[in-house]
Amino acid sequence: DIVMTQSPDSLAVSLGERATINCKSSQSVLKSSDNKNYLAWYQQKPRQPPKVLIYWASTRESGVPDRFSGSGSGTDFTLTISSLQAEDVAVYYCQHYYSIPLTFGQGTKVEIK
Amino acid sequence: EVQLVESGGGLVQPGGSLRLSCAASGFTFSTCIMHWVRQAPGKGLVWVSRIHPDGNTPMYADSVKGRFTISRDNAKNMLSLQMNSLRAEDTAVYYCISYCLGAPLWGQGTLVTVSS
């Protein structure tokens, strides 16, 4: 199984400041057949389903504000919120969909400092 | 509208059974691999099962193998999860998911509570 490890587990950022979440996979999720990283990022608020922010590691989902960006390839990935807003308080998860079983990171809780 | 809508959750006693459904619309369901993922209260996300478009080679997490059965009806655009011998640790919100549109597509989830 591919193990997804996020860091940090939680972070507190001032409004308008940058938030950075890292995700490391135990093996590469870059598929050579299509040169795509099978990695997604989600935002989850209490009592809501996960919301897709980023897929293919760096493609922003339609309707997601451009302050959210994803980067990385292979085994190391980053989600960046360029200017934190109050509505961004949530838990963020990375997930690979490269193989079975699909696995998720443990989650990173983002709060306002 | 492209969407997945789960149903069938509820309260069930340990050892009981429940059948979850996921209705797909707005995309070609019959060509898509489908998954179930669950989230226990206050916990993270865990993959449960996967089924191919033709219904063959279903796969399961070890924690549900032999108790859960995934199936689909492509004529009705419906995905199902039959859950037997339920345990307290199966208590969770269950989501159906598709990755065949590029962006992952999730339903809103259905809550299963296993308790006496």
Side-chain angles (χ1 to χ4, degrees):
Chain A
D1 298 2
I2 298 175
V3 177
M4 308 298 290
T5 304
Q6 290 180 226
S7 61
D9 290 334
S10 64
L11 77 162
V13 176
S14 300
L15 288 172
E17 296 301 305
R18 178 184 299 259
T20 301
I21 302 169
N22 298 301
C23 175
K24 189 174 184 69
S25 57
S26 61
Q27 63 190 74
S28 177
V29 298
L30 173 62
K31 198 164 279 190
S32 57
S33 59
D34 57 12
N35 200 37
K36 288 182 177 179
N37 288 283
Y38 283 60
L39 188 286
W41 287 98
Y42 301 93
Q43 175 194 67
Q44 189 174 34
K45 298 180 179 180
R47 294 171 297 282
Q48 294 184 19
K51 174 186 176 182
V52 180
L53 298 175
I54 303 287
Y55 58 99
W56 301 137
S58 60
T59 301
R60 193 180 304 114
E61 169 69 310
S62 175
V64 172
D66 61 7
R67 64 180 180 272
F68 291 93
S69 64
S71 62
S73 184
T75 61
D76 292 278
F77 302 91
T78 300
L79 175 70
T80 301
I81 310 172
S82 60
S83 175
L84 192 75
Q85 304 300 303
E87 61 266 32
D88 300 335
V89 169
V91 177
Y92 293 82
Y93 294 95
C94 64
Q95 180 228 347
H96 85 83
Y97 44 108
Y98 179 90
S99 61
I100 296 300
L102 312 181
T103 53
F104 297 80
Q106 77 277 17
T108 295
K109 188 173 186 178
V110 174
E111 300 173 310
I112 305 295
K113 185 187 292 182
Chain B
E1 182 184 0
V2 176
Q3 64 177 356
L4 297 168
V5 179
E6 300 94 337
S7 60
L11 174 64
V12 61
Q13 292 187 339
S17 298
L18 212 55
R19 186 177 183 86
L20 306 184
S21 296
C22 170
S25 59
F27 65 100
T28 309
F29 174 79
S30 60
T31 64
C32 293
I33 295 173
M34 298 296 297
H35 301 262
W36 287 99
V37 163
R38 68 184 181 184
Q39 186 173 34
K43 302 296 185 182
L45 297 152
V46 178
W47 175 80
V48 172
S49 183
R50 177 219 73 191
I51 189 168
H52 275 156
D54 59 6
N56 290 334
T57 57
M59 295 194 72
Y60 301 93
D62 288 345
S63 59
V64 307
K65 204 172 292 184
R67 300 187 299 122
F68 289 13
T69 301
I70 190 172
S71 62
R72 64 192 297 159
D73 184 336
N74 288 338
K76 296 181 178 178
N77 291 339
M78 192 73 72
L79 175 72
S80 297
L81 186 69
Q82 177 67 42
M83 305 186 296
N84 299 330
S85 303
L86 282 162
R87 307 166 180 167
E89 54 265 35
D90 296 318
T91 294
V93 176
Y94 286 73
Y95 299 98
C96 60
I97 307 167
S98 168
Y99 294 87
C100 71
L101 300 177
L105 175 65
W106 288 56
Q108 85 290 348
T110 187
L111 175 62
V112 173
T113 303
V114 184
S115 175
S116 54

Coordinates of all heavy atoms in Angstrom, one line a residue, chain A residues 26-105:
Chain A
S26 N 4.8 7.2 -0.2 CA 5.9 6.2 0.1 C 6.4 5.6 -1.2 O 7.5 5.0 -1.2 CB 5.4 5.1 1.0 OG 4.3 4.4 0.4
Q27 N 5.7 5.8 -2.3 CA 6.2 5.5 -3.7 C 5.6 6.4 -4.7 O 4.6 7.1 -4.4 CB 5.9 4.0 -4.0 CG 4.5 3.7 -4.1 CD 4.3 2.2 -4.3 OE1 4.4 1.4 -3.3 NE2 3.9 1.7 -5.5
S28 N 6.2 6.5 -5.8 CA 5.8 7.5 -6.8 C 4.4 7.2 -7.3 O 3.9 6.1 -7.4 CB 6.7 7.4 -8.0 OG 6.3 8.3 -9.0
V29 N 3.6 8.4 -7.4 CA 2.3 8.3 -8.0 C 2.2 8.9 -9.4 O 1.2 9.3 -9.9 CB 1.3 9.0 -7.0 CG1 1.2 8.2 -5.7 CG2 1.6 10.4 -6.8
L30 N 3.4 9.0 -10.0 CA 3.5 9.5 -11.4 C 3.4 8.3 -12.3 O 4.3 7.4 -12.3 CB 4.8 10.2 -11.6 CG 5.1 10.7 -13.0 CD1 4.1 11.7 -13.5 CD2 6.5 11.3 -13.1
K31 N 2.4 8.3 -13.1 CA 2.2 7.2 -14.1 C 2.9 7.5 -15.4 O 2.6 8.5 -16.0 CB 0.7 6.9 -14.3 CG 0.4 5.6 -14.8 CD -1.1 5.2 -14.7 CE -1.4 4.7 -13.3 NZ -2.8 4.1 -13.2
S32 N 3.8 6.6 -15.8 CA 4.6 6.9 -17.0 C 3.8 6.9 -18.3 O 4.1 7.5 -19.3 CB 5.7 5.9 -17.1 OG 5.2 4.6 -17.1
S33 N 2.6 6.1 -18.3 CA 1.8 6.0 -19.5 C 1.2 7.3 -19.9 O 1.0 7.5 -21.1 CB 0.8 4.9 -19.3 OG -0.1 5.3 -18.2
D34 N 0.9 8.2 -19.0 CA 0.3 9.5 -19.3 C 1.0 10.6 -18.7 O 0.6 11.8 -18.9 CB -1.2 9.5 -18.9 CG -1.5 9.2 -17.5 OD1 -0.5 9.2 -16.7 OD2 -2.6 8.9 -17.1
N35 N 2.1 10.4 -18.0 CA 2.9 11.4 -17.3 C 2.0 12.3 -16.4 O 2.2 13.5 -16.3 CB 3.6 12.3 -18.4 CG 4.7 13.1 -17.8 OD1 5.5 12.6 -17.0 ND2 4.9 14.3 -18.3
K36 N 1.1 11.7 -15.7 CA 0.3 12.4 -14.8 C 0.5 11.9 -13.3 O 0.7 10.7 -13.1 CB -1.2 12.2 -15.1 CG -1.6 13.0 -16.3 CD -3.1 12.8 -16.6 CE -3.6 13.6 -17.8 NZ -5.0 13.5 -18.1
N37 N 0.5 12.8 -12.4 CA 0.6 12.5 -11.0 C -0.8 12.2 -10.5 O -1.7 13.1 -10.5 CB 1.2 13.6 -10.2 CG 2.7 13.7 -10.4 OD1 3.5 12.9 -9.9 ND2 3.1 14.6 -11.2
Y38 N -1.1 11.0 -9.9 CA -2.4 10.7 -9.5 C -2.6 11.1 -8.0 O -2.7 10.3 -7.1 CB -2.7 9.2 -9.7 CG -2.9 8.8 -11.2 CD1 -2.0 9.1 -12.2 CD2 -4.2 8.2 -11.5 CE1 -2.3 8.8 -13.5 CE2 -4.4 7.9 -12.9 CZ -3.5 8.2 -13.8 OH -3.7 7.9 -15.1
L39 N -2.7 12.4 -7.8 CA -2.7 13.0 -6.5 C -3.7 14.1 -6.5 O -3.8 15.0 -7.4 CB -1.3 13.5 -6.2 CG -0.9 14.1 -4.8 CD1 -1.5 15.4 -4.5 CD2 -1.2 13.1 -3.7
A40 N -4.6 14.1 -5.5 CA -5.6 15.1 -5.3 C -5.5 15.7 -3.9 O -5.0 15.1 -2.9 CB -7.0 14.5 -5.5
W41 N -6.0 16.9 -3.8 CA -6.1 17.6 -2.5 C -7.6 18.0 -2.2 O -8.3 18.4 -3.2 CB -5.3 18.9 -2.5 CG -3.8 18.8 -2.5 CD1 -3.0 18.8 -3.6 CD2 -3.0 18.6 -1.3 NE1 -1.7 18.6 -3.1 CE2 -1.7 18.5 -1.7 CE3 -3.3 18.5 0.0 CZ2 -0.6 18.4 -0.9 CZ3 -2.2 18.4 0.9 CH2 -0.9 18.3 0.5
Y42 N -8.0 17.8 -1.0 CA -9.4 18.1 -0.6 C -9.4 19.0 0.6 O -8.5 19.0 1.5 CB -10.1 16.8 -0.2 CG -10.1 15.7 -1.2 CD1 -9.2 14.8 -1.3 CD2 -11.2 15.7 -2.2 CE1 -9.2 13.8 -2.3 CE2 -11.2 14.8 -3.1 CZ -10.2 13.8 -3.2 OH -10.3 12.8 -4.2
Q43 N -10.5 19.8 0.7 CA -10.8 20.6 1.9 C -12.0 20.0 2.5 O -13.0 19.8 1.8 CB -11.0 22.0 1.4 CG -11.5 23.0 2.5 CD -12.0 24.3 1.9 OE1 -13.0 24.3 1.3 NE2 -11.3 25.4 2.1
Q44 N -12.0 19.8 3.8 CA -13.2 19.4 4.5 C -13.5 20.2 5.7 O -12.7 20.4 6.6 CB -13.1 17.9 4.9 CG -14.4 17.3 5.4 CD -14.3 15.8 5.8 OE1 -13.3 15.3 6.2 NE2 -15.4 15.1 5.5
K45 N -14.7 20.7 5.7 CA -15.3 21.5 6.9 C -16.2 20.6 7.6 O -16.7 19.6 7.1 CB -15.9 22.8 6.3 CG -15.0 23.7 5.6 CD -15.7 24.9 5.1 CE -14.7 25.9 4.4 NZ -15.3 27.1 3.9
P46 N -16.4 20.9 8.9 CA -17.3 20.1 9.8 C -18.6 19.8 9.1 O -19.3 20.7 8.6 CB -17.4 20.9 11.0 CG -16.2 21.7 11.1 CD -15.9 22.1 9.7
R47 N -19.0 18.5 9.2 CA -20.3 18.0 8.8 C -20.5 18.2 7.3 O -21.7 18.3 6.8 CB -21.4 18.7 9.6 CG -21.4 18.3 11.0 CD -22.4 19.1 11.9 NE -22.0 20.6 11.8 CZ -21.1 21.1 12.6 NH1 -20.4 20.3 13.4 NH2 -20.8 22.4 12.5
Q48 N -19.4 18.3 6.5 CA -19.5 18.4 5.1 C -18.6 17.3 4.4 O -17.7 16.9 5.0 CB -19.0 19.8 4.6 CG -19.9 20.9 5.0 CD -19.5 22.3 4.4 OE1 -18.7 22.3 3.4 NE2 -19.9 23.4 5.0
P49 N -19.0 16.9 3.2 CA -18.1 16.0 2.5 C -16.8 16.7 2.0 O -16.8 17.9 2.0 CB -19.0 15.6 1.3 CG -19.9 16.7 1.1 CD -20.2 17.3 2.4
P50 N -15.8 15.9 1.8 CA -14.6 16.6 1.2 C -14.9 17.3 -0.1 O -15.7 16.8 -0.9 CB -13.7 15.4 1.0 CG -14.1 14.3 1.9 CD -15.6 14.5 2.0
K51 N -14.3 18.4 -0.2 CA -14.4 19.2 -1.5 C -13.1 19.1 -2.3 O -12.0 19.3 -1.7 CB -14.7 20.7 -1.1 CG -14.7 21.6 -2.3 CD -14.8 23.1 -1.8 CE -14.8 24.1 -3.0 NZ -14.9 25.5 -2.6
V52 N -13.2 18.8 -3.5 CA -12.0 18.7 -4.4 C -11.5 20.1 -4.6 O -12.2 21.0 -5.1 CB -12.4 18.0 -5.7 CG1 -11.1 17.9 -6.6 CG2 -13.0 16.7 -5.5
L53 N -10.2 20.3 -4.3 CA -9.5 21.5 -4.6 C -8.6 21.4 -5.9 O -8.6 22.2 -6.8 CB -8.6 21.9 -3.5 CG -9.3 22.3 -2.1 CD1 -8.2 22.5 -1.1 CD2 -10.2 23.4 -2.3
I54 N -7.8 20.3 -5.9 CA -6.7 20.1 -6.8 C -6.7 18.6 -7.2 O -6.9 17.7 -6.4 CB -5.3 20.4 -6.2 CG1 -5.3 21.8 -5.7 CG2 -4.2 20.1 -7.2 CD1 -5.2 22.9 -6.8
Y55 N -6.5 18.3 -8.5 CA -6.3 17.0 -9.0 C -5.2 17.0 -10.0 O -4.8 18.0 -10.4 CB -7.6 16.4 -9.6 CG -8.2 17.1 -10.7 CD1 -8.0 16.7 -12.0 CD2 -9.0 18.3 -10.5 CE1 -8.6 17.4 -13.1 CE2 -9.5 19.0 -11.6 CZ -9.3 18.5 -12.9 OH -9.9 19.3 -13.9
W56 N -4.7 15.8 -10.4 CA -3.5 15.6 -11.2 C -2.4 16.5 -10.5 O -1.5 17.0 -11.2 CB -3.7 16.0 -12.6 CG -4.7 15.3 -13.4 CD1 -5.6 15.8 -14.3 CD2 -5.0 13.9 -13.4 NE1 -6.4 14.8 -14.8 CE2 -6.1 13.6 -14.3 CE3 -4.4 12.8 -12.8 CZ2 -6.6 12.4 -14.6 CZ3 -4.9 11.5 -13.0 CH2 -6.0 11.3 -13.9
A57 N -2.4 16.6 -9.2 CA -1.4 17.3 -8.4 C -1.4 18.8 -8.5 O -1.0 19.5 -7.6 CB 0.0 16.8 -8.7
S58 N -1.8 19.3 -9.7 CA -1.7 20.8 -9.9 C -2.8 21.4 -10.6 O -2.8 22.6 -10.9 CB -0.4 21.1 -10.6 OG -0.3 20.5 -11.9
T59 N -3.8 20.6 -11.0 CA -5.0 21.2 -11.8 C -6.1 21.6 -10.8 O -6.6 20.8 -10.0 CB -5.6 20.1 -12.7 OG1 -4.6 19.7 -13.7 CG2 -6.8 20.7 -13.5
R60 N -6.4 22.9 -10.8 CA -7.4 23.4 -9.9 C -8.8 23.1 -10.4 O -9.1 23.2 -11.5 CB -7.2 25.0 -9.8 CG -8.0 25.6 -8.6 CD -7.8 27.1 -8.6 NE -6.4 27.5 -8.5 CZ -5.7 28.1 -9.5 NH1 -6.3 28.4 -10.6 NH2 -4.4 28.4 -9.3
E61 N -9.6 22.6 -9.5 CA -11.0 22.2 -9.8 C -11.7 23.5 -10.1 O -11.5 24.6 -9.6 CB -11.6 21.5 -8.6 CG -13.1 21.3 -8.7 CD -13.6 20.3 -9.8 OE1 -13.1 20.5 -10.9 OE2 -14.4 19.4 -9.5
S62 N -12.7 23.4 -11.1 CA -13.5 24.5 -11.4 C -14.2 25.2 -10.2 O -14.8 24.5 -9.4 CB -14.6 24.1 -12.5 OG -15.4 25.1 -12.8
G63 N -14.1 26.5 -10.1 CA -14.8 27.2 -9.1 C -13.9 27.4 -7.8 O -14.3 28.1 -6.9
V64 N -12.8 26.7 -7.8 CA -11.9 26.9 -6.6 C -11.1 28.2 -6.8 O -10.5 28.4 -7.8 CB -10.9 25.7 -6.5 CG1 -9.9 25.9 -5.4 CG2 -11.7 24.4 -6.2
P65 N -11.0 29.0 -5.7 CA -10.3 30.3 -5.8 C -8.8 30.1 -6.2 O -8.2 29.1 -5.8 CB -10.4 30.8 -4.4 CG -11.6 30.2 -3.8 CD -11.7 28.9 -4.4
D66 N -8.2 31.0 -6.9 CA -6.9 30.8 -7.4 C -5.8 31.0 -6.3 O -4.6 30.9 -6.6 CB -6.6 31.7 -8.6 CG -6.7 33.2 -8.3 OD1 -6.9 33.5 -7.2 OD2 -6.7 34.0 -9.3
R67 N -6.2 31.3 -5.1 CA -5.3 31.4 -4.0 C -4.8 29.9 -3.6 O -3.8 29.8 -2.9 CB -5.8 32.1 -2.8 CG -7.0 31.5 -2.1 CD -7.5 32.3 -0.9 NE -8.6 31.7 -0.2 CZ -9.9 32.0 -0.6 NH1 -10.1 32.8 -1.6 NH2 -10.9 31.4 0.1
F68 N -5.6 28.9 -4.1 CA -5.2 27.5 -3.8 C -4.4 27.0 -5.0 O -4.8 27.2 -6.2 CB -6.4 26.6 -3.7 CG -7.2 26.9 -2.4 CD1 -8.3 27.8 -2.4 CD2 -6.9 26.2 -1.2 CE1 -9.0 28.0 -1.3 CE2 -7.6 26.5 -0.1 CZ -8.7 27.4 -0.1
S69 N -3.2 26.5 -4.7 CA -2.4 25.9 -5.8 C -1.7 24.6 -5.3 O -1.4 24.5 -4.1 CB -1.4 26.9 -6.3 OG -0.4 27.2 -5.3
G70 N -1.5 23.7 -6.3 CA -0.8 22.5 -6.0 C 0.4 22.3 -6.8 O 0.5 22.8 -8.0
S71 N 1.5 21.7 -6.2 CA 2.7 21.5 -7.0 C 3.3 20.2 -6.5 O 2.9 19.6 -5.6 CB 3.7 22.7 -6.7 OG 4.0 22.8 -5.4
G72 N 4.4 19.8 -7.2 CA 5.1 18.6 -6.9 C 4.9 17.5 -7.9 O 4.1 17.6 -8.8
S73 N 5.8 16.5 -7.8 CA 5.7 15.3 -8.7 C 6.4 14.2 -8.1 O 7.3 14.3 -7.2 CB 6.4 15.7 -10.0 OG 6.3 14.6 -11.0
G74 N 6.0 13.0 -8.5 CA 6.6 11.8 -8.0 C 6.1 11.4 -6.6 O 5.1 10.7 -6.5
T75 N 6.9 11.8 -5.6 CA 6.5 11.5 -4.2 C 6.4 12.7 -3.3 O 5.9 12.5 -2.1 CB 7.6 10.6 -3.6 OG1 8.9 11.3 -3.6 CG2 7.8 9.3 -4.4
D76 N 6.6 13.9 -3.8 CA 6.6 15.0 -2.9 C 5.7 16.1 -3.5 O 5.9 16.6 -4.6 CB 8.0 15.6 -2.7 CG 8.8 14.7 -1.8 OD1 8.7 14.7 -0.6 OD2 9.6 13.9 -2.4
F77 N 4.7 16.5 -2.7 CA 3.7 17.4 -3.2 C 3.4 18.5 -2.1 O 3.6 18.3 -0.9 CB 2.4 16.6 -3.5 CG 2.6 15.6 -4.5 CD1 2.9 14.3 -4.1 CD2 2.5 15.8 -5.9 CE1 3.2 13.3 -5.1 CE2 2.7 14.8 -6.8 CZ 3.1 13.6 -6.4
T78 N 2.9 19.6 -2.6 CA 2.6 20.7 -1.8 C 1.3 21.4 -2.2 O 1.0 21.6 -3.4 CB 3.7 21.8 -1.8 OG1 4.9 21.2 -1.4 CG2 3.4 23.0 -0.9
L79 N 0.5 21.7 -1.1 CA -0.7 22.6 -1.3 C -0.4 23.9 -0.7 O 0.0 24.0 0.5 CB -1.9 22.0 -0.7 CG -3.2 22.8 -0.7 CD1 -3.8 22.9 -2.1 CD2 -4.3 22.3 0.2
T80 N -0.6 25.0 -1.5 CA -0.3 26.3 -1.0 C -1.6 27.1 -1.0 O -2.3 27.2 -2.0 CB 0.8 27.0 -1.8 OG1 2.0 26.2 -1.8 CG2 1.1 28.4 -1.3
I81 N -1.9 27.8 0.1 CA -2.9 28.8 0.1 C -2.2 30.2 0.2 O -1.5 30.5 1.2 CB -3.9 28.7 1.3 CG1 -4.4 27.2 1.4 CG2 -5.1 29.6 1.2 CD1 -5.2 26.9 2.7
S82 N -2.3 30.9 -0.9 CA -1.4 32.1 -1.0 C -1.7 33.2 0.0 O -0.8 33.9 0.5 CB -1.4 32.6 -2.4 OG -2.7 33.1 -2.8
S83 N -3.0 33.4 0.3 CA -3.4 34.4 1.2 C -4.6 33.9 2.0 O -5.7 33.9 1.5 CB -3.8 35.7 0.4 OG -4.3 36.7 1.2
L84 N -4.4 33.5 3.2 CA -5.4 32.7 3.9 C -6.6 33.6 4.2 O -6.4 34.8 4.7 CB -4.8 32.2 5.2 CG -5.7 31.2 6.0 CD1 -5.7 29.8 5.3 CD2 -5.3 31.0 7.4
Q85 N -7.8 33.1 4.0 CA -9.0 33.8 4.3 C -9.7 33.0 5.4 O -9.5 31.8 5.6 CB -9.9 33.8 3.1 CG -9.3 34.5 1.8 CD -8.9 35.9 2.1 OE1 -9.7 36.7 2.5 NE2 -7.6 36.2 1.9
A86 N -10.6 33.7 6.1 CA -11.3 33.1 7.2 C -12.1 31.8 6.8 O -12.1 30.8 7.6 CB -12.3 34.1 7.8
E87 N -12.6 31.8 5.6 CA -13.4 30.6 5.1 C -12.5 29.4 4.8 O -13.0 28.4 4.5 CB -14.3 31.0 3.9 CG -13.5 31.5 2.7 CD -13.4 33.0 2.7 OE1 -13.3 33.7 3.8 OE2 -13.4 33.6 1.5
D88 N -11.2 29.6 4.9 CA -10.3 28.5 4.6 C -10.0 27.6 5.8 O -9.3 26.6 5.6 CB -8.9 29.0 4.0 CG -9.1 29.8 2.7 OD1 -10.1 29.6 2.0 OD2 -8.3 30.7 2.4
V89 N -10.5 28.0 6.9 CA -10.3 27.2 8.1 C -11.0 25.8 7.9 O -12.2 25.8 7.6 CB -10.9 27.9 9.4 CG1 -11.0 26.9 10.5 CG2 -10.1 29.1 9.7
A90 N -10.2 24.8 7.9 CA -10.7 23.4 7.5 C -9.6 22.4 7.8 O -8.5 22.8 8.2 CB -11.1 23.4 6.1
V91 N -10.0 21.2 7.5 CA -8.9 20.1 7.5 C -8.7 19.8 6.0 O -9.6 19.7 5.2 CB -9.4 18.8 8.2 CG1 -8.4 17.7 8.1 CG2 -9.7 19.1 9.7
Y92 N -7.4 19.7 5.7 CA -7.0 19.4 4.3 C -6.4 18.0 4.2 O -5.6 17.6 5.0 CB -6.0 20.5 3.8 CG -6.7 21.8 3.7 CD1 -6.8 22.6 4.8 CD2 -7.2 22.3 2.5 CE1 -7.5 23.9 4.7 CE2 -7.8 23.5 2.4 CZ -8.0 24.3 3.5 OH -8.6 25.5 3.4
Y93 N -6.8 17.3 3.1 CA -6.2 15.9 2.9 C -5.6 15.8 1.5 O -6.1 16.4 0.6 CB -7.4 14.9 3.0 CG -8.1 14.7 4.3 CD1 -9.2 15.4 4.6 CD2 -7.5 13.8 5.3 CE1 -9.9 15.2 5.8 CE2 -8.2 13.7 6.5 CZ -9.3 14.4 6.8 OH -10.0 14.2 8.0
C94 N -4.5 15.1 1.5 CA -4.0 14.7 0.2 C -4.4 13.2 0.0 O -4.7 12.5 1.0 CB -2.5 14.8 0.0 SG -1.5 13.8 1.2
Q95 N -4.5 12.8 -1.3 CA -4.9 11.4 -1.6 C -4.3 11.0 -2.9 O -4.3 11.8 -3.9 CB -6.4 11.3 -1.7 CG -7.0 9.9 -2.0 CD -8.0 9.9 -3.1 OE1 -8.5 11.0 -3.5 NE2 -8.3 8.7 -3.7
H96 N -3.8 9.7 -3.0 CA -3.4 9.2 -4.3 C -4.5 8.4 -4.8 O -5.3 7.7 -4.1 CB -2.1 8.4 -4.1 CG -2.3 7.0 -3.8 ND1 -2.6 6.0 -4.7 CD2 -2.3 6.3 -2.6 CE1 -2.8 4.9 -4.1 NE2 -2.6 5.0 -2.8
Y97 N -4.6 8.3 -6.2 CA -5.5 7.4 -6.9 C -4.7 6.7 -8.0 O -5.3 6.4 -9.0 CB -6.8 8.1 -7.4 CG -6.6 9.4 -8.1 CD1 -6.7 9.5 -9.5 CD2 -6.3 10.6 -7.4 CE1 -6.6 10.8 -10.1 CE2 -6.1 11.8 -8.1 CZ -6.3 11.9 -9.4 OH -6.1 13.1 -10.1
Y98 N -3.5 6.4 -7.6 CA -2.6 5.7 -8.6 C -2.9 4.2 -8.6 O -2.7 3.5 -9.7 CB -1.2 5.9 -8.1 CG -0.1 5.3 -8.9 CD1 0.5 5.9 -10.0 CD2 0.4 4.0 -8.5 CE1 1.5 5.3 -10.7 CE2 1.4 3.4 -9.3 CZ 2.0 4.1 -10.4 OH 3.0 3.5 -11.1
S99 N -3.2 3.6 -7.5 CA -3.4 2.1 -7.4 C -4.4 1.8 -6.3 O -4.8 2.7 -5.5 CB -2.1 1.4 -7.2 OG -1.5 1.9 -5.9
I100 N -4.8 0.6 -6.1 CA -5.6 0.1 -5.1 C -4.7 -0.5 -4.0 O -3.8 -1.3 -4.3 CB -6.6 -0.9 -5.6 CG1 -7.6 -0.3 -6.6 CG2 -7.4 -1.6 -4.4 CD1 -8.4 0.8 -6.1
P101 N -4.9 -0.1 -2.7 CA -6.0 0.7 -2.2 C -5.7 2.2 -2.4 O -4.5 2.6 -2.2 CB -6.1 0.4 -0.7 CG -4.7 0.0 -0.4 CD -4.1 -0.7 -1.6
L102 N -6.7 3.0 -2.7 CA -6.6 4.4 -2.6 C -6.2 4.8 -1.1 O -6.8 4.2 -0.2 CB -7.9 5.2 -2.9 CG -8.6 4.7 -4.2 CD1 -9.9 5.6 -4.4 CD2 -7.7 4.8 -5.4
T103 N -5.3 5.7 -0.9 CA -5.0 6.1 0.5 C -5.0 7.6 0.6 O -4.6 8.3 -0.3 CB -3.7 5.4 1.0 OG1 -2.7 5.7 0.1 CG2 -3.9 3.9 1.2
F104 N -5.2 8.0 1.8 CA -5.3 9.4 2.2 C -4.2 9.8 3.2 O -3.8 8.9 4.0 CB -6.6 9.8 2.7 CG -7.8 9.6 1.8 CD1 -8.3 8.3 1.6 CD2 -8.4 10.6 1.1 CE1 -9.4 8.1 0.8 CE2 -9.4 10.4 0.3 CZ -9.9 9.1 0.1
G105 N -3.8 11.0 3.2 CA -3.0 11.5 4.3 C -3.8 11.6 5.5 O -5.1 11.5 5.5

